[in-house]
Amino acid sequence: MISPYRLLHFTRCLAVAAILVGSSVNGDDSPPVAEISEADLVHQYRERCDYVIDQTVANTDPNDLTRGSNFTIAANLFRGANLDWARERLRLSNDPPTGAMFWMHPMALLMHVGREELNEDDWAFIRELWRTYFPYRGDTENHWVMYYVSLYLVAEMFPDAGPEAWYNGKSSVEIMADAKEFILDWMRITTSYGQGEYDSPNYIEEYTRPMALLVGWARDPELQQMGKMMMDYILLDYAVENLGGLYGGAHSRLYPRYLLQPGMAHSAAHAWLLWGQGEFSSNGGTLMIAMSGYTPPSILFRIASDRDKAYVHKELKRTRWRFRHAGPNAFEVDGKSTIPVYKYSYVHPDFILGSSQGGLLQPIQQQTWSLVWREENLEGKSNTMFGLQPYSSPIEGTMFFNSDWDTVTDLIARSKVDYDSPDKLEGGSPYEQVFQHEATLIALYNIPEGTRFPLISTLFSRDVNRRVEDESGWIFGQGGPVYIAYRPFAPGEWKPVDWTGLLKGGAGAWFSTGFKELSEGSECLVSYSLKNGYIVEIAPVSAYETYRDFQEAVRALPVEVRLEPTPRVRYTNLDGVKLEAEYGRTPSVDGENVDYSSWKLFDGPFAQAERESQSLEMIYGSERYVLDFKNRSAETSVVESE
Amino acid sequence: MKRTTIAYFIFVLVMGFSPLEAEEESTLFIAFAMTKAQEASSIPTDSGIYLRSEKDNSWHRIGPVIQSMNSLAVDPSAPATIFMACGNGIVRSKDGGETWRMVTGWRESDFLKIAIDPENGDNIYGTSVWGFHLSRDGGESWTSANKGLNEKYCRTIIVDHRNQRRLVLGTGDGIYESRNGGESWTRVRSSPESAILRMDRSLNNPDLWIAGSEGEGVYLSANDGKSWRPVAETLSEANVYGVSLHPENENRMAAGGWSEGLWVSNDGGDSWEDRSSGLPSQNVTAVVFDENHPDRLWVSTFEEGTYYTDDDGKTWKDGDLYGAYVFDLDFVTSAKE
């Protein structure tokens, strides 16, 4: 006999399937983005939320007490399902607690959604955990946000609790005051100077999770409102560089598997839940959003989905705080050092080419530039291209981490096992400078003698097809709906993306799991010239009658390269724009220097925000949605057509 | 490592609250993270602060278990008041370790060292990766005080017990001095230019100071920190994580660094000899002479254990903690049992 719950779940699955089939935003039959009603959007979104929760519950085996995270327990409590299992699993999986803020936030979720289901013994067990387990607050932005939001929300549940109730010896009142101050300060800094851990397809959920907690369960109206606004802000940050669930552009942090297959990243799971793009995948962040009751404003859907026209979108971010070696470009925010990150993305209906200026902008996992292109089915697709100088150094380590010069590299590589490898696929370099104008990207490298890994590497994934090494010096290829032209300034050699010799036995298991499937058939062009660089020129297949036509057009472009004393290139791109870049100097477009001093926090057709404004305007057609963090307000308006 | 109750150490630390009335005793502490077994993870398998018991010659945990615990300080004028320098901030006990409270807020974190005014326990000083912090109310509230510092990264600090308004600070670009209780700082001209990793001051001769630096080796001052000169030429480019001055013999001193092992001078720093042949690793992260056994010298190696010698390095005895990355190894003063 089918249980009522499973029947309900089955019915919901059918509903979601019908909605997904009937209103695919990218399908030929779908209505224009602007014409889908808000009511329909909300209805479809709510169905997907139910589906996310139901899937989690459906995948719970109530006879298996060895599996099930606090997220899973929370989903079951939320639905009132498998309660005996949930109660028992709660005790088994939290004895003892581990993971610091990664334990705190799903526990806070569990406590809130389980209010009605947890009994006195359950609460006694949970309260004892908070009294005795002293979680580390962590060493990076996402850690701190998760830590303080979780702490706030559990203290708010017991507002009269004294210092004896909590691991840190503070009362609930003290905890809430401290945590709230942090949360609001983080929002102020982010909306004034940009996020430090910016635009990560991985770590986006480490921000959406705590914001979902605030939206769903904060009793403090100010924090709930600010949490909702900040969620909108983070999702807008993604939406403007989204292509059917792919998070394009330059990223602060990315793990290798998501570098190679962008469609696997957590951001893709968010795009499915929020905007109905791509395929469903199980994800803690989306589960938390689904249970929180958060509803994204419809303008986010429209911005994330409308790719009728190509556009340039620029953003100003900042580096993670620099403890040491802050450098001449550093500025301070409340006594903490950072430097600006200038992001530039060209978002085309078929692809996104995006970049930052290069340099050490983020420890370990930076992606300075990337290309992603649209694919109908993302499964198994390595629809990306990027380049790097694989740099590792105690300078970088001690810049961002509280660790010693002689141990920092080793300790980083204990968890990020590829950090100290010449074969790695991510990371910033102080010897890399990148400049982009629309679909053209120029990267220059000036690598000193003695650098640990004196090479540069560019990924040509297995899904870059029809590769041609032309006599002209250009390398051509096709990735899905885009043609790629790559002009190296120095010779290189092809090397397979192969970590077989890199991964230590057992170490970095998560890194290496499935790596053969992820990387097989992909190659890197590796060049050992210390003075180096390349041009990347992208064009949609639809712009040329044949592949040959594209190649001929590129061959005809004027390119003037000089590598000594510092790399320099003068180049006219397919649109006839004259670009000039020299290592160590400001690049120019048609003879005019790029003005980094005027870079805004958000600057594109869909979003505008000035530096230090603490506000953001989202734009779609005549609709305006303004987040004003100074006044804690969010307002939608319609402007008269011009 | 034996596990005993904290109460044992409460007893040790709390016996006799006034140092004026009770005989003082020094207790060795160690702050570390167990990193050797840390694989595929950014989290050490254990971390904490331990005290060395003279009774059973073993280490005993003090305080809560928190990741990233870097140092310990005890208020000399109120030995039941204990401070821990942690990644989370500063954790304080006012009852000899029975209960603990985080006394810092979100703005203050990642502390590396704490120093307490020996005459006035309300003045607490903390160094952190974010800068220098001070409290004028025994740790209840904290203020950043970085005026005059070029780099905020602050690693170590010593309060001048002859002039409690004078503080000497080891920062990311050398040694700084404050004459006004930390309100402002002036760089000591002859200081190394690189990060100061460790400082010590002689108990026997307060004019004698020693500092270990990042990349510039060992520096010595014989005029109460007014001027510094490099010593130990062999270590002149080393990262020196451990330095210590003998508690009774001002001519005797030790320094240890990465890849350099342990070096000892018995002539006031003029000549240095390698004493590390019996150690399992040349990667030294902490060094300290034993205040209770002046001929004893303790050395911590990176992940290969902590050792001590009673015969000037001819033989080394296992002090346990294999696998630990030791951040601090030092003595706190308490009333004697």
Side-chain angles (χ1 to χ4, degrees):
Chain A
M1 185 176 151
I2 301 172
S3 73
Y5 178 77
R6 287 196 181 277
L7 193 61
L8 176 67
H9 171 61
F10 178 69
T11 310
R12 282 183 177 140
C13 287
L14 282 180
V16 169
I19 285 165
L20 293 179
V21 169
S23 62
S24 166
V25 294
N26 297 320
D28 292 337
D29 300 333
S30 57
V33 166
E35 292 178 13
I36 305 174
S37 74
E38 177 146 4
D40 281 349
L41 288 174
V42 171
H43 176 69
Q44 292 165 15
Y45 167 70
R46 286 269 161 252
E47 291 286 354
R48 290 192 297 271
C49 286
D50 280 337
Y51 183 80
V52 168
I53 302 164
D54 292 345
Q55 279 292 308
T56 308
V57 176
N59 288 330
T60 304
D61 179 355
N63 298 312
D64 185 356
L65 286 167
T66 65
R67 291 194 312 143
S69 68
N70 283 340
F71 282 109
T72 308
I73 297 169
N76 280 278
L77 292 172
F78 186 80
R79 284 281 188 249
N82 302 317
L83 294 179
D84 290 341
W85 172 87
R87 191 160 281 125
E88 193 66 22
R89 182 65 192 151
L90 165 69
R91 283 162 175 76
L92 288 171
S93 62
N94 292 285
D95 185 20
T98 57
M101 70 296 297
F102 288 97
W103 173 83
M104 295 168 77
H105 74 274
M107 178 52 73
L109 171 74
L110 184 161
M111 291 164 68
H112 277 279
V113 300
R115 268 178 185 276
E116 303 300 320
E117 305 291 355
L118 297 170
N119 63 31
E120 206 171 301
D121 287 347
D122 299 332
W123 283 113
F125 174 77
I126 291 169
R127 296 289 297 273
E128 184 64 5
L129 298 179
W130 285 101
R131 192 184 71 80
T132 54
Y133 174 49
F134 208 129
Y136 178 44
R137 79 193 275 275
D139 62 4
T140 189
E141 190 177 341
N142 77 76
H143 292 174
W144 302 326
V145 176
M146 289 190 289
Y147 179 93
Y148 287 109
V149 167
S150 309
L151 196 50
Y152 181 89
L153 286 171
V154 294
E156 201 182 37
M157 291 183 90
F158 308 100
D160 301 325
E164 71 287 348
W166 302 104
Y167 64 85
N168 59 9
K170 293 185 177 183
S171 68
S172 291
V173 170
E174 291 173 304
I175 287 171
M176 286 191 288
D178 191 46
K180 182 174 178 178
E181 190 181 285
F182 170 84
I183 294 163
L184 295 178
D185 196 73
W186 170 70
M187 291 174 180
R188 176 183 64 81
I189 288 174
T190 299
T191 57
S192 298
Y193 308 100
Q195 243 187 306
E197 211 167 43
Y198 55 89
D199 296 5
S200 170
N202 288 121
Y203 285 92
I204 185 173
E205 70 166 333
E206 272 69 26
Y207 295 98
T208 58
R209 289 180 188 188
M211 293 310 101
L213 280 175
L214 290 176
V215 173
W217 296 282
R219 291 177 189 167
D220 180 309
E222 184 184 20
L223 274 183
Q224 189 188 44
Q225 166 75 357
M226 292 290 271
K228 162 77 170 63
M229 289 166 57
M230 205 62 207
M231 179 78 99
D232 294 345
Y233 191 97
I234 290 164
L235 293 177
L236 177 280
D237 204 351
Y238 171 27
V240 287
E241 291 170 300
N242 167 58
L243 189 71
L246 303 171
Y247 202 153
H251 305 297
S252 62
R253 299 186 68 180
L254 254 181
Y255 285 89
R257 60 181 56 245
Y258 307 127
L259 283 157
L260 287 171
Q261 293 192 17
M264 289 176 67
H266 301 316
S267 50
H270 282 63
W272 180 85
L273 174 71
L274 294 157
W275 306 314
Q277 299 174 344
E279 301 294 324
F280 164 77
S281 63
S282 177
N283 175 271
T286 55
L287 179 65
M288 221 156 191
I289 294 171
M291 284 191 276
S292 73
Y294 168 78
T295 303
S298 59
I299 193 170
L300 271 180
F301 165 83
R302 300 186 206 288
I303 290 171
S305 305
D306 188 340
R307 291 294 172 268
D308 282 351
K309 292 179 187 168
Y311 61 91
V312 171
H313 175 80
K314 295 192 279 186
E315 289 177 6
L316 181 66
K317 305 296 187 191
R318 60 175 179 82
T319 66
R320 191 163 163 155
W321 302 122
R322 290 179 164 184
F323 299 142
R324 301 178 62 189
H325 320 299
N329 297 326
F331 67 99
E332 286 195 357
V333 179
D334 300 342
K336 294 172 180 167
S337 293
T338 181
I339 71 166
V341 175
Y342 304 103
K343 281 196 62 185
Y344 182 108
S345 286
Y346 185 63
V347 183
H348 185 277
D350 293 330
F351 66 92
I352 299 178
L353 179 68
S355 60
S356 55
Q357 76 269 31
L360 292 176
L361 307 178
Q362 189 73 202
I364 311 170
Q365 296 172 304
Q366 173 182 328
Q367 187 176 46
T368 302
W369 71 268
S370 78
L371 167 71
V372 292
W373 59 85
R374 197 186 285 281
E375 291 279 359
E376 278 303 307
N377 180 3
L378 291 173
E379 190 177 351
K381 283 289 180 190
S382 192
N383 51 333
T384 186
M385 183 179 193
F386 50 82
L388 73 157
Q389 194 270 309
Y391 177 81
S392 81
S393 158
I395 289 176
E396 179 180 35
T398 56
M399 182 183 286
F400 296 110
F401 296 106
N402 171 26
S403 201
D404 290 322
W405 182 272
D406 296 293
T407 57
V408 67
T409 302
D410 176 12
L411 292 176
I412 289 171
R414 304 271 175 105
S415 61
K416 312 295 185 291
V417 296
D418 59 340
Y419 175 65
D420 197 28
S421 162
D423 299 329
K424 67 181 177 177
L425 299 174
E426 71 279 20
S429 164
Y431 314 127
E432 178 178 60
Q433 291 183 358
V434 175
F435 159 55
Q436 183 184 345
H437 178 75
E438 297 189 347
T440 308
L441 181 139
I442 295 172
L444 301 173
Y445 299 86
N446 192 9
I447 305 168
E449 296 275 357
T451 297
R452 181 158 174 73
F453 304 124
L455 58 97
I456 66 169
S457 187
T458 305
L459 176 78
F460 284 72
S461 82
R462 63 186 177 220
D463 290 307
V464 174
N465 299 309
R466 305 171 75 185
R467 197 168 81 201
V468 175
E469 291 183 66
D470 196 72
E471 285 182 355
S472 63
W474 286 94
I475 300 170
F476 298 108
Q478 181 179 346
V482 300
Y483 290 137
I484 299 166
Y486 177 92
R487 175 65 176 264
F489 297 166
E493 61 186 60
W494 295 101
K495 294 181 75 173
V497 177
D498 180 7
W499 283 15
T500 312
L502 164 67
L503 299 170
K504 294 175 265 185
W510 184 81
F511 267 67
S512 57
T513 303
F515 203 79
K516 190 165 184 285
E517 289 73 27
L518 291 163
S519 66
E520 197 164 44
S522 293
E523 291 185 312
C524 284
L525 181 64
V526 177
S527 175
Y528 295 91
S529 174
L530 298 179
K531 311 277 186 182
N532 219 326
Y534 47 81
I535 300 166
V536 179
E537 183 80 44
I538 307 298
V541 168
S542 58
Y544 294 87
E545 278 202 14
T546 65
Y547 188 30
R548 185 182 295 271
D549 290 346
F550 168 71
Q551 293 176 32
E552 279 181 14
V554 171
R555 273 190 216 105
L557 298 172
V559 183
E560 184 189 325
V561 173
R562 182 198 75 187
L563 293 178
E564 297 290 348
T566 50
R568 187 190 72 185
V569 59
R570 290 177 177 147
Y571 170 65
T572 302
N573 73 6
L574 284 170
D575 295 325
V577 178
K578 290 178 181 168
L579 306 173
E580 184 167 342
E582 181 172 356
Y583 192 91
R585 305 189 70 163
T586 304
S588 67
V589 178
D590 281 336
E592 205 163 305
N593 279 359
V594 175
D595 182 8
Y596 290 104
S597 67
S598 66
W599 222 264
K600 298 177 181 179
L601 284 181
F602 289 91
D603 189 6
F606 292 134
Q608 287 288 316
E610 297 290 337
R611 287 185 200 210
E612 301 186 43
S613 63
Q614 295 182 56
S615 71
L616 168 67
E617 183 183 41
M618 300 186 203
I619 303 162
Y620 188 78
S622 58
E623 187 181 354
R624 301 290 182 272
Y625 179 57
V626 177
L627 298 171
D628 180 348
F629 289 86
K630 274 184 190 160
N631 296 306
R632 277 73 168 134
S633 69
E635 200 168 289
T636 298
S637 62
V638 176
V639 296
E640 289 180 16
S641 49
E642 293 169 4
Chain B
M1 248 184 295
K2 293 184 181 176
R3 292 191 180 274
T4 59
T5 62
I6 289 171
Y8 171 79
F9 291 99
I10 297 169
F11 180 75
V12 171
L13 290 164
V14 176
M15 276 290 289
F17 282 89
S18 166
L20 300 174
E21 295 169 7
E23 194 178 346
E24 286 186 354
E25 182 179 68
S26 295
T27 305
L28 180 64
F29 78 84
I30 193 163
F32 66 88
M34 280 292 175
T35 54
K36 183 139 182 124
Q38 180 189 325
E39 287 198 350
S41 170
S42 57
I43 303 172
T45 53
D46 190 13
S47 53
I49 298 179
Y50 285 66
L51 299 174
R52 182 79 177 179
S53 167
E54 292 278 330
K55 280 187 173 177
D56 62 4
N57 284 326
S58 61
W59 299 100
H60 301 262
R61 186 189 289 276
I62 181 169
V65 180
I66 324 175
Q67 187 185 332
S68 182
M69 301 182 78
N70 297 313
S71 191
L72 180 80
V74 175
D75 183 351
S77 60
T81 303
I82 308 166
F83 294 86
M84 287 178 166
C86 306
N88 277 25
I90 290 179
V91 181
R92 182 191 68 190
S93 173
K94 295 184 87 168
D95 52 16
E98 193 166 358
T99 59
W100 296 86
R101 171 182 163 84
M102 269 211 29
V103 291
T104 43
W106 69 269
R107 290 183 189 277
E108 302 91 19
S109 66
D110 303 291
F111 282 88
L112 302 173
K113 195 81 177 170
I114 298 167
I116 303 169
D117 184 334
E119 296 295 319
N120 180 358
D122 281 346
N123 295 325
I124 320 286
Y125 308 107
T127 62
S128 87
V129 299
W130 307 100
F132 172 77
H133 306 268
L134 60 84
S135 171
R136 299 292 187 213
D137 54 13
E140 290 298 317
S141 62
W142 292 84
T143 310
S144 290
N146 299 307
K147 189 177 175 185
L149 297 179
N150 286 332
E151 285 206 19
K152 294 202 174 62
Y153 177 82
C154 295
R155 177 90 177 216
T156 186
I157 183 166
I158 293 177
V159 182
D160 185 347
H161 60 79
R162 295 189 297 196
N163 170 12
Q164 291 83 36
R165 298 282 289 164
R166 179 175 178 242
L167 311 177
V168 180
L169 183 67
T171 78
D173 71 330
I175 297 168
Y176 283 71
E177 183 184 69
S178 172
R179 294 271 175 181
N180 53 15
E183 301 295 335
S184 61
W185 298 94
T186 306
R187 192 171 185 281
V188 178
R189 282 186 186 173
S190 52
S191 142
E193 293 181 353
S194 59
I196 301 301
L197 305 174
R198 183 81 185 176
M199 291 191 300
D200 191 23
R201 185 189 199 180
S202 171
L203 295 175
N204 184 25
N205 172 9
D207 287 340
L208 186 62
W209 296 64
I210 191 169
S213 74
E214 186 179 82
E216 290 185 76
V218 184
Y219 273 65
L220 206 62
S221 171
N223 59 1
D224 197 19
K226 292 182 183 65
S227 63
W228 295 78
R229 65 183 173 91
V231 294
E233 195 178 346
T234 311
L235 302 175
S236 62
E237 294 181 358
N239 297 334
V240 176
Y241 294 101
V243 290
S244 186
L245 296 168
H246 192 276
E248 294 175 355
N249 179 354
E250 63 187 84
N251 286 318
R252 189 159 157 72
M253 55 197 71
W258 196 263
S259 303
E260 302 292 347
L262 176 80
W263 292 71
V264 172
S265 171
N266 288 307
D267 56 9
D270 289 342
S271 65
W272 293 75
E273 291 178 30
D274 184 0
R275 300 290 188 188
S276 50
S277 62
L279 291 171
S281 165
Q282 300 300 293
N283 297 329
V284 170
T285 66
V287 173
V288 68
F289 279 104
D290 195 318
E291 294 181 9
N292 299 318
H293 309 277
D295 288 333
R296 180 170 295 175
L297 178 60
W298 289 85
V299 174
S300 293
T301 62
F302 180 64
E303 296 184 336
E304 299 298 327
T306 291
Y307 298 84
Y308 63 92
T309 177
D310 291 322
D311 55 12
D312 205 15
K314 292 185 182 68
T315 58
W316 289 94
K317 293 171 185 162
D318 188 355
D320 298 328
L321 299 175
Y322 175 81
Y325 178 7
V326 174
F327 305 124
D328 203 1
L329 178 69
D330 206 346
F331 282 82
V332 285
T333 303
S334 62
K336 197 165 185 175
E337 219 176 321

